[in-house]
Amino acid sequence: MGKYLIPSEFNNNLKHNYGALASARLWEENPNKLSNPYEFYLVQNKNGAHHLDNEHTVFGKITKGFDVMNEIANQETDKKNFHF
């Protein structure tokens, strides 16, 4: 699979609204805001996460199954994982 990053693709029609699906990225030493092709997140906050607009690429959204998103978010994690 390799170790690489992908260019950001900001779209004014795709914002960090509730249920948005977006690519994670490193903040440090990443001036071009390149995305990690292997990591993603869902916006669980019903008010959105608009402070992330034009910082992380939103590439989709969920339209149903929000209960599944919440169930995933409520799973126990170890020290290597964290919640935003």
Side-chain angles (χ1 to χ4, degrees):
M1 297 207 312
K3 186 174 184 178
Y4 63 94
L5 300 173
I6 54 178
S8 57
E9 297 182 51
F10 303 128
N11 180 326
N12 286 332
N13 295 321
L14 297 173
K15 299 293 184 183
H16 282 82
N17 298 320
Y18 179 61
L21 179 62
S23 296
R25 73 172 179 88
L26 295 174
W27 284 84
E28 296 177 3
E29 299 179 29
N30 190 2
N32 294 323
K33 302 178 183 180
L34 301 174
S35 299
N36 182 318
Y38 307 112
E39 296 182 20
F40 66 92
Y41 60 91
L42 295 165
V43 176
Q44 189 184 14
N45 185 327
K46 290 191 178 186
N47 293 321
H50 298 287
H51 63 287
L52 299 174
D53 290 344
N54 296 318
E55 293 293 335
H56 295 264
T57 298
V58 175
F59 60 89
K61 63 181 179 179
I62 60 173
T63 58
K64 59 183 178 178
F66 291 94
D67 57 326
V68 176
M69 176 180 67
N70 293 327
E71 182 67 26
I72 292 168
N74 289 323
Q75 295 302 304
E76 188 174 328
T77 60
D78 62 18
K79 292 179 184 178
K80 295 180 183 176
N81 293 296
F82 57 93
H83 294 270
F84 294 100

